[in-house]
Amino acid sequence: MSMSEACVILFAIMLLLISSKEAASFQSGSRSILRAVSGENKAVVDYAVDLNSTNFDSVLRDTPATHAIVEFFANWCPACRNYKPHYEKVARLFNGPDAVHPGIVLMTRVDCALKINNKLCDKFSVSHYPMLFWGPPSKFASHGVKPKEEKSEIHMIDDGRTAERLVSWINKHLGSSYSLDDEKFENEHLHSNTSDPGQIARAVYDVEEATAFAVEIILEHKMIKQHTRVSLIKFLQLLAVHHPSKRCRKGSAEVLVNFDDLCPPDMWSPDKQEEVSNGKGMLGNFQICGKEVPRGYWMFCRGSKNDTRGFSCGLWVLLHSLSVRIEDGESQFAFRAVCDFIHNFFICEDCRQHFYQMCSSVTVPFNTSRDFALWLWSTHNKVNKRLMKKEASLGTGDPKFPKVIWPPKQLCSLCYLSHNRRENATSQIDWDMNEVYKFLTGYYGKTLTSLYKEKVRLGDEVTDGAIVDLVASTNAVVVPVGAALAIALASCAFGALACCWRSRQKTRKPRRSWS
């Protein structure tokens, strides 16, 4: 055998050995992958939110939860790895769209083994792993914890070594009776709106949820047509100035200034179907109230069953909150914007027709914001009366939140001058309209945003009055002239918007489509 032949044979043997090792490795890896995806579908879901120094403040500042737990751990720590399943069992109750008790406790974790978190862990004087802290989310975002610090609202959890003990600790501090076995909507801890007037403060998050959900419905059902564009623009203009959530005001203004790009007039035409193949187009990529919304759950508007309250409640709270924020000169514009929005975009047919009939019965323009707020309140009570009868006969109402005439005496005794029951068993209420209006402005105005404003003071959100600056800073206000002028006449804030629109349209450059 020649040297060259021997080299060829040796090379072939080496190739066989390498290929056999690769095949063995691949087969072994394949078996491990199969075990991972099979094995009775044992995929582990993390419910606790991982935080680091870059998002710690913003997440805790913006959460709708009333309380927060932060676990400081190290990824190399065996005790931390063993504790994680316990922590996750509890986090399942409070975190995520499938949370059993949403909006109560935000459960988070910070890995102190990562260099990016060194200063953050030092800020909270972390001395061992795992280490758990409890407190109001806003307090975590505003400062840390010093050793032996007194009068701090952030407390170390001293007895949470197992899931059972952690839940017990939470129950002790909240006066609750949560259990690891709790399932969604099997929950006796829901607060009745009539028993706790302070609950409305949490509804700002449901107003954000309802706003985002309404946009999703409009897009999913392809409801933006040539004849509905103006009504959508008017409603967005109302939101941009008067929405109780600053991030929704900011998002509505951004949609307005980019409206022709996000919602082109022919967006549902056949030649545009490839661009909007998901049924949403570019507006579907825009989150009107921020990247965290929709969250997938309700707080103030949560029903005791998963098919009650929710979106309809959130939408009503939104409309009432708008009605008490407008100025007198905007009352007729707001009335038409709300009526047209419900008529064109609310897809519950009976509700839509009933509401629009009440809109059509108004023959005299509204001159004051008080008139519009009281009309909407009266309209809501008429809707409740109609639904009361249906739900009573069909048994479809929420037993914990039955339809009532609003507000009940528990919330506003001064609103009632008298309450007489007629012979035919119907009720006749003599209202003190001044007291009703005072209640509405307090309940849907100051009280609704009290919690939210407290959180916002700690952050760098867009400040009041800055929406016009936001709009003016963009390339162009792409709203129809008539709609822009209408809102300009109705609101001093949008006077600047209209002026900006006229001046910048002249120098507007063609806008490239989003990638």
Short mmCIF file of all heavy atoms in Angstrom, two decimals, residues 348-398:
data_model
loop_
_atom_site.label_atom_id
_atom_site.label_comp_id
_atom_site.label_asym_id
_atom_site.label_seq_id
_atom_site.Cartn_x
_atom_site.Cartn_y
_atom_site.Cartn_z
N CYS A 348 -72.29 46.20 20.50
CA CYS A 348 -73.46 45.57 21.13
C CYS A 348 -74.69 46.28 20.55
O CYS A 348 -74.96 47.44 20.89
CB CYS A 348 -73.40 45.73 22.64
SG CYS A 348 -74.87 45.13 23.49
N GLU A 349 -75.43 45.62 19.69
CA GLU A 349 -76.44 46.29 18.86
C GLU A 349 -77.56 46.91 19.69
O GLU A 349 -77.93 48.08 19.47
CB GLU A 349 -77.01 45.30 17.85
CG GLU A 349 -77.99 45.92 16.85
CD GLU A 349 -77.36 46.98 15.97
OE1 GLU A 349 -76.11 47.05 15.90
OE2 GLU A 349 -78.11 47.76 15.36
N ASP A 350 -78.14 46.17 20.63
CA ASP A 350 -79.23 46.73 21.44
C ASP A 350 -78.77 47.94 22.22
O ASP A 350 -79.47 48.96 22.29
CB ASP A 350 -79.79 45.67 22.40
CG ASP A 350 -80.63 44.63 21.68
OD1 ASP A 350 -80.95 44.85 20.50
OD2 ASP A 350 -80.97 43.61 22.31
N CYS A 351 -77.60 47.84 22.83
CA CYS A 351 -77.06 48.95 23.62
C CYS A 351 -76.78 50.15 22.73
O CYS A 351 -77.06 51.30 23.10
CB CYS A 351 -75.78 48.52 24.33
SG CYS A 351 -75.99 47.08 25.41
N ARG A 352 -76.22 49.89 21.56
CA ARG A 352 -75.88 50.97 20.63
C ARG A 352 -77.12 51.72 20.20
O ARG A 352 -77.16 52.96 20.21
CB ARG A 352 -75.15 50.39 19.42
CG ARG A 352 -74.67 51.43 18.41
CD ARG A 352 -74.08 50.74 17.19
NE ARG A 352 -75.12 50.09 16.40
CZ ARG A 352 -75.84 50.73 15.48
NH1 ARG A 352 -75.64 52.01 15.23
NH2 ARG A 352 -76.76 50.08 14.79
N GLN A 353 -78.14 50.98 19.83
CA GLN A 353 -79.37 51.63 19.36
C GLN A 353 -80.08 52.39 20.48
O GLN A 353 -80.54 53.52 20.28
CB GLN A 353 -80.31 50.58 18.77
CG GLN A 353 -79.86 50.02 17.44
CD GLN A 353 -80.91 49.13 16.80
OE1 GLN A 353 -82.01 49.00 17.32
NE2 GLN A 353 -80.56 48.52 15.67
N HIS A 354 -80.12 51.79 21.67
CA HIS A 354 -80.77 52.45 22.80
C HIS A 354 -80.06 53.75 23.16
O HIS A 354 -80.69 54.79 23.39
CB HIS A 354 -80.80 51.51 24.01
CG HIS A 354 -81.53 52.07 25.19
ND1 HIS A 354 -81.03 52.02 26.47
CD2 HIS A 354 -82.72 52.70 25.28
CE1 HIS A 354 -81.88 52.60 27.30
NE2 HIS A 354 -82.91 53.01 26.61
N PHE A 355 -78.73 53.72 23.19
CA PHE A 355 -77.95 54.90 23.53
C PHE A 355 -78.16 55.99 22.48
O PHE A 355 -78.35 57.16 22.81
CB PHE A 355 -76.47 54.55 23.65
CG PHE A 355 -75.62 55.66 24.22
CD1 PHE A 355 -75.41 55.74 25.58
CD2 PHE A 355 -75.03 56.61 23.40
CE1 PHE A 355 -74.63 56.76 26.13
CE2 PHE A 355 -74.26 57.63 23.92
CZ PHE A 355 -74.05 57.71 25.29
N TYR A 356 -78.12 55.60 21.21
CA TYR A 356 -78.24 56.61 20.16
C TYR A 356 -79.65 57.19 20.09
O TYR A 356 -79.82 58.34 19.69
CB TYR A 356 -77.83 56.03 18.80
CG TYR A 356 -77.42 57.12 17.83
CD1 TYR A 356 -76.24 57.83 18.04
CD2 TYR A 356 -78.20 57.43 16.72
CE1 TYR A 356 -75.85 58.83 17.17
CE2 TYR A 356 -77.81 58.44 15.84
CZ TYR A 356 -76.64 59.13 16.09
OH TYR A 356 -76.26 60.14 15.23
N GLN A 357 -80.65 56.41 20.45
CA GLN A 357 -82.01 56.96 20.54
C GLN A 357 -82.07 58.07 21.57
O GLN A 357 -82.72 59.11 21.36
CB GLN A 357 -83.00 55.85 20.90
CG GLN A 357 -83.33 54.91 19.76
CD GLN A 357 -84.17 53.72 20.22
OE1 GLN A 357 -84.55 53.63 21.40
NE2 GLN A 357 -84.43 52.79 19.31
N MET A 358 -81.40 57.87 22.70
CA MET A 358 -81.38 58.91 23.73
C MET A 358 -80.57 60.12 23.26
O MET A 358 -80.90 61.25 23.61
CB MET A 358 -80.81 58.33 25.03
CG MET A 358 -81.75 57.33 25.69
SD MET A 358 -81.16 56.70 27.28
CE MET A 358 -79.89 55.57 26.75
N CYS A 359 -79.52 59.88 22.47
CA CYS A 359 -78.78 61.00 21.88
C CYS A 359 -79.67 61.79 20.93
O CYS A 359 -79.68 63.03 20.94
CB CYS A 359 -77.55 60.49 21.13
SG CYS A 359 -76.22 59.85 22.17
N SER A 360 -80.43 61.08 20.11
CA SER A 360 -81.27 61.73 19.09
C SER A 360 -82.43 62.51 19.70
O SER A 360 -82.99 63.40 19.07
CB SER A 360 -81.81 60.67 18.12
OG SER A 360 -80.76 59.98 17.50
N SER A 361 -82.80 62.16 20.93
CA SER A 361 -83.92 62.86 21.57
C SER A 361 -83.53 64.23 22.10
O SER A 361 -84.39 65.03 22.49
CB SER A 361 -84.47 62.02 22.73
OG SER A 361 -83.51 61.90 23.77
N VAL A 362 -82.24 64.53 22.13
CA VAL A 362 -81.76 65.84 22.59
C VAL A 362 -81.91 66.84 21.44
O VAL A 362 -81.31 66.69 20.38
CB VAL A 362 -80.29 65.76 23.06
CG1 VAL A 362 -79.79 67.15 23.44
CG2 VAL A 362 -80.15 64.79 24.21
N THR A 363 -82.71 67.86 21.66
CA THR A 363 -83.00 68.84 20.60
C THR A 363 -82.36 70.19 20.85
O THR A 363 -82.23 71.00 19.92
CB THR A 363 -84.52 69.03 20.46
OG1 THR A 363 -85.07 69.44 21.73
CG2 THR A 363 -85.19 67.73 20.00
N VAL A 364 -81.98 70.47 22.08
CA VAL A 364 -81.38 71.77 22.42
C VAL A 364 -79.89 71.57 22.70
O VAL A 364 -79.53 70.70 23.51
CB VAL A 364 -82.08 72.39 23.65
CG1 VAL A 364 -81.43 73.72 24.00
CG2 VAL A 364 -83.56 72.57 23.40
N PRO A 365 -79.00 72.33 22.08
CA PRO A 365 -77.56 72.16 22.32
C PRO A 365 -77.19 72.40 23.79
O PRO A 365 -77.82 73.20 24.48
CB PRO A 365 -76.92 73.24 21.42
CG PRO A 365 -77.96 73.54 20.40
CD PRO A 365 -79.28 73.38 21.08
N PHE A 366 -76.18 71.69 24.24
CA PHE A 366 -75.70 71.87 25.60
C PHE A 366 -74.85 73.14 25.67
O PHE A 366 -73.98 73.37 24.82
CB PHE A 366 -74.86 70.67 26.04
CG PHE A 366 -75.66 69.42 26.22
CD1 PHE A 366 -75.61 68.40 25.28
CD2 PHE A 366 -76.47 69.26 27.33
CE1 PHE A 366 -76.34 67.24 25.43
CE2 PHE A 366 -77.23 68.10 27.49
CZ PHE A 366 -77.17 67.09 26.54
N ASN A 367 -75.08 73.94 26.70
CA ASN A 367 -74.33 75.18 26.87
C ASN A 367 -73.28 75.10 27.96
O ASN A 367 -72.35 75.89 27.98
CB ASN A 367 -75.29 76.34 27.18
CG ASN A 367 -76.22 76.64 26.02
OD1 ASN A 367 -75.80 76.64 24.87
ND2 ASN A 367 -77.49 76.90 26.32
N THR A 368 -73.44 74.15 28.88
CA THR A 368 -72.49 74.03 29.99
C THR A 368 -72.05 72.59 30.16
O THR A 368 -72.75 71.65 29.78
CB THR A 368 -73.12 74.52 31.32
OG1 THR A 368 -74.18 73.63 31.69
CG2 THR A 368 -73.66 75.94 31.18
N SER A 369 -70.88 72.43 30.77
CA SER A 369 -70.39 71.09 31.07
C SER A 369 -71.28 70.39 32.09
O SER A 369 -71.44 69.17 32.06
CB SER A 369 -68.94 71.16 31.59
OG SER A 369 -68.87 71.98 32.75
N ARG A 370 -71.89 71.18 32.99
CA ARG A 370 -72.82 70.62 33.98
C ARG A 370 -73.99 69.94 33.28
O ARG A 370 -74.40 68.83 33.66
CB ARG A 370 -73.32 71.73 34.89
CG ARG A 370 -74.33 71.29 35.95
CD ARG A 370 -74.80 72.50 36.76
NE ARG A 370 -75.69 72.12 37.85
CZ ARG A 370 -77.01 71.95 37.72
NH1 ARG A 370 -77.58 72.14 36.54
NH2 ARG A 370 -77.74 71.61 38.78
N ASP A 371 -74.53 70.59 32.25
CA ASP A 371 -75.67 70.01 31.52
C ASP A 371 -75.30 68.68 30.89
O ASP A 371 -76.07 67.71 30.94
CB ASP A 371 -76.15 70.98 30.44
CG ASP A 371 -76.79 72.23 31.02
OD1 ASP A 371 -77.19 72.19 32.20
OD2 ASP A 371 -76.88 73.24 30.30
N PHE A 372 -74.11 68.62 30.29
CA PHE A 372 -73.70 67.37 29.64
C PHE A 372 -73.44 66.27 30.65
O PHE A 372 -73.83 65.12 30.46
CB PHE A 372 -72.45 67.61 28.78
CG PHE A 372 -71.89 66.35 28.17
CD1 PHE A 372 -72.69 65.53 27.37
CD2 PHE A 372 -70.59 65.96 28.42
CE1 PHE A 372 -72.18 64.36 26.82
CE2 PHE A 372 -70.06 64.80 27.87
CZ PHE A 372 -70.88 64.00 27.08
N ALA A 373 -72.76 66.60 31.77
CA ALA A 373 -72.47 65.60 32.79
C ALA A 373 -73.75 65.02 33.38
O ALA A 373 -73.86 63.81 33.59
CB ALA A 373 -71.60 66.22 33.89
N LEU A 374 -74.75 65.88 33.62
CA LEU A 374 -76.02 65.41 34.17
C LEU A 374 -76.82 64.62 33.15
O LEU A 374 -77.51 63.66 33.49
CB LEU A 374 -76.84 66.59 34.69
CG LEU A 374 -76.31 67.25 35.97
CD1 LEU A 374 -77.11 68.51 36.30
CD2 LEU A 374 -76.36 66.27 37.14
N TRP A 375 -76.71 64.99 31.87
CA TRP A 375 -77.40 64.21 30.82
C TRP A 375 -76.81 62.80 30.74
O TRP A 375 -77.54 61.82 30.66
CB TRP A 375 -77.27 64.90 29.47
CG TRP A 375 -77.85 64.06 28.36
CD1 TRP A 375 -79.14 64.00 27.95
CD2 TRP A 375 -77.12 63.12 27.53
NE1 TRP A 375 -79.29 63.10 26.92
CE2 TRP A 375 -78.08 62.54 26.64
CE3 TRP A 375 -75.79 62.73 27.44
CZ2 TRP A 375 -77.71 61.58 25.70
CZ3 TRP A 375 -75.43 61.78 26.50
CH2 TRP A 375 -76.38 61.22 25.64
N LEU A 376 -75.48 62.70 30.78
CA LEU A 376 -74.84 61.39 30.71
C LEU A 376 -75.20 60.55 31.94
O LEU A 376 -75.45 59.35 31.82
CB LEU A 376 -73.33 61.55 30.59
CG LEU A 376 -72.54 60.27 30.33
CD1 LEU A 376 -72.87 59.70 28.96
CD2 LEU A 376 -71.03 60.52 30.45
N TRP A 377 -75.23 61.18 33.11
CA TRP A 377 -75.62 60.48 34.33
C TRP A 377 -77.05 59.96 34.21
O TRP A 377 -77.33 58.79 34.53
CB TRP A 377 -75.49 61.44 35.52
CG TRP A 377 -76.30 61.05 36.72
CD1 TRP A 377 -76.02 60.08 37.63
CD2 TRP A 377 -77.55 61.64 37.12
NE1 TRP A 377 -77.01 60.02 38.58
CE2 TRP A 377 -77.96 60.96 38.29
CE3 TRP A 377 -78.35 62.66 36.62
CZ2 TRP A 377 -79.14 61.29 38.96
CZ3 TRP A 377 -79.52 63.00 37.28
CH2 TRP A 377 -79.91 62.31 38.43
N SER A 378 -77.96 60.80 33.74
CA SER A 378 -79.36 60.40 33.57
C SER A 378 -79.48 59.27 32.55
O SER A 378 -80.24 58.31 32.73
CB SER A 378 -80.21 61.59 33.15
OG SER A 378 -81.53 61.22 32.87
N THR A 379 -78.72 59.37 31.47
CA THR A 379 -78.72 58.35 30.42
C THR A 379 -78.23 57.01 30.97
O THR A 379 -78.80 55.95 30.67
CB THR A 379 -77.84 58.80 29.24
OG1 THR A 379 -78.39 60.01 28.69
CG2 THR A 379 -77.77 57.74 28.16
N HIS A 380 -77.18 57.04 31.77
CA HIS A 380 -76.65 55.82 32.36
C HIS A 380 -77.69 55.16 33.27
O HIS A 380 -77.87 53.94 33.26
CB HIS A 380 -75.38 56.14 33.16
CG HIS A 380 -74.59 54.94 33.52
ND1 HIS A 380 -73.33 55.01 34.10
CD2 HIS A 380 -74.84 53.60 33.40
CE1 HIS A 380 -72.87 53.79 34.31
NE2 HIS A 380 -73.76 52.92 33.91
N ASN A 381 -78.42 55.96 34.03
CA ASN A 381 -79.47 55.40 34.90
C ASN A 381 -80.62 54.79 34.09
O ASN A 381 -81.21 53.78 34.49
CB ASN A 381 -79.99 56.46 35.86
CG ASN A 381 -79.17 56.54 37.14
OD1 ASN A 381 -78.53 55.57 37.53
ND2 ASN A 381 -79.17 57.70 37.78
N LYS A 382 -80.92 55.38 32.94
CA LYS A 382 -81.95 54.80 32.07
C LYS A 382 -81.49 53.45 31.52
O LYS A 382 -82.29 52.51 31.41
CB LYS A 382 -82.27 55.76 30.91
CG LYS A 382 -83.01 57.02 31.34
CD LYS A 382 -83.23 57.96 30.17
CE LYS A 382 -83.93 59.25 30.61
NZ LYS A 382 -84.08 60.22 29.50
N VAL A 383 -80.22 53.37 31.18
CA VAL A 383 -79.66 52.09 30.72
C VAL A 383 -79.73 51.06 31.84
O VAL A 383 -80.11 49.90 31.62
CB VAL A 383 -78.21 52.28 30.23
CG1 VAL A 383 -77.54 50.93 29.98
CG2 VAL A 383 -78.18 53.14 28.96
N ASN A 384 -79.37 51.48 33.05
CA ASN A 384 -79.42 50.56 34.19
C ASN A 384 -80.84 50.06 34.46
O ASN A 384 -81.05 48.89 34.77
CB ASN A 384 -78.86 51.25 35.44
CG ASN A 384 -77.35 51.23 35.48
OD1 ASN A 384 -76.69 50.60 34.64
ND2 ASN A 384 -76.76 51.91 36.45
N LYS A 385 -81.82 50.94 34.35
CA LYS A 385 -83.21 50.55 34.56
C LYS A 385 -83.62 49.49 33.54
O LYS A 385 -84.29 48.50 33.87
CB LYS A 385 -84.13 51.76 34.44
CG LYS A 385 -84.19 52.64 35.67
CD LYS A 385 -85.21 53.75 35.49
CE LYS A 385 -85.33 54.62 36.72
NZ LYS A 385 -86.32 55.71 36.57
N ARG A 386 -83.24 49.71 32.28
CA ARG A 386 -83.60 48.76 31.22
C ARG A 386 -82.95 47.40 31.47
O ARG A 386 -83.59 46.35 31.35
CB ARG A 386 -83.17 49.31 29.86
CG ARG A 386 -83.49 48.42 28.68
CD ARG A 386 -83.09 49.09 27.38
NE ARG A 386 -81.66 49.19 27.23
CZ ARG A 386 -80.88 48.26 26.66
NH1 ARG A 386 -81.42 47.13 26.23
NH2 ARG A 386 -79.60 48.44 26.55
N LEU A 387 -81.65 47.42 31.85
CA LEU A 387 -80.93 46.17 32.07
C LEU A 387 -81.36 45.48 33.36
O LEU A 387 -81.28 44.25 33.46
CB LEU A 387 -79.43 46.44 32.07
CG LEU A 387 -78.83 46.90 30.74
CD1 LEU A 387 -77.35 47.19 30.88
CD2 LEU A 387 -79.08 45.87 29.64
N MET A 388 -81.77 46.26 34.36
CA MET A 388 -82.24 45.67 35.62
C MET A 388 -83.37 44.68 35.36
O MET A 388 -83.38 43.57 35.89
CB MET A 388 -82.74 46.78 36.55
CG MET A 388 -81.75 47.22 37.60
SD MET A 388 -82.59 48.29 38.80
CE MET A 388 -82.04 49.87 38.22
N LYS A 389 -84.33 45.09 34.55
CA LYS A 389 -85.50 44.25 34.27
C LYS A 389 -85.08 42.99 33.52
O LYS A 389 -85.52 41.88 33.85
CB LYS A 389 -86.52 45.04 33.45
CG LYS A 389 -87.12 46.23 34.19
CD LYS A 389 -88.09 47.00 33.30
CE LYS A 389 -88.67 48.20 34.04
NZ LYS A 389 -89.59 48.98 33.17
N LYS A 390 -84.21 43.15 32.51
CA LYS A 390 -83.78 41.98 31.74
C LYS A 390 -82.98 41.00 32.59
O LYS A 390 -83.20 39.79 32.53
CB LYS A 390 -82.94 42.45 30.53
CG LYS A 390 -83.76 43.03 29.40
CD LYS A 390 -82.92 43.16 28.15
CE LYS A 390 -83.78 43.58 26.96
NZ LYS A 390 -83.00 43.66 25.71
N GLU A 391 -82.04 41.53 33.36
CA GLU A 391 -81.20 40.65 34.17
C GLU A 391 -82.02 39.95 35.26
O GLU A 391 -81.74 38.80 35.60
CB GLU A 391 -80.06 41.45 34.78
CG GLU A 391 -79.03 41.92 33.75
CD GLU A 391 -77.90 42.72 34.36
OE1 GLU A 391 -77.97 43.02 35.58
OE2 GLU A 391 -76.95 43.06 33.64
N ALA A 392 -83.02 40.64 35.79
CA ALA A 392 -83.87 40.02 36.82
C ALA A 392 -84.69 38.88 36.23
O ALA A 392 -84.87 37.83 36.87
CB ALA A 392 -84.78 41.07 37.43
N SER A 393 -85.19 39.06 35.02
CA SER A 393 -86.03 38.03 34.41
C SER A 393 -85.23 36.85 33.88
O SER A 393 -85.70 35.71 33.87
CB SER A 393 -86.87 38.64 33.28
OG SER A 393 -86.02 39.13 32.25
N LEU A 394 -83.99 37.12 33.44
CA LEU A 394 -83.17 36.07 32.83
C LEU A 394 -82.10 35.52 33.78
O LEU A 394 -81.48 34.49 33.48
CB LEU A 394 -82.48 36.61 31.57
CG LEU A 394 -83.42 37.09 30.45
CD1 LEU A 394 -82.62 37.75 29.33
CD2 LEU A 394 -84.23 35.92 29.91
N GLY A 395 -81.86 36.19 34.88
CA GLY A 395 -80.85 35.73 35.82
C GLY A 395 -79.44 35.85 35.29
O GLY A 395 -78.57 35.05 35.62
N THR A 396 -79.18 36.89 34.47
CA THR A 396 -77.87 37.04 33.84
C THR A 396 -77.00 38.09 34.51
O THR A 396 -75.87 38.32 34.07
CB THR A 396 -78.05 37.42 32.36
OG1 THR A 396 -78.87 38.60 32.26
CG2 THR A 396 -78.69 36.29 31.59
N GLY A 397 -77.50 38.74 35.56
CA GLY A 397 -76.73 39.77 36.21
C GLY A 397 -75.63 39.22 37.10
O GLY A 397 -75.56 38.02 37.37
N ASP A 398 -74.76 40.12 37.55
CA ASP A 398 -73.72 39.74 38.49
C ASP A 398 -74.30 39.88 39.89
O ASP A 398 -74.66 40.97 40.31
CB ASP A 398 -72.51 40.68 38.33
CG ASP A 398 -71.30 40.21 39.11
OD1 ASP A 398 -71.48 39.70 40.23
OD2 ASP A 398 -70.17 40.37 38.60
#
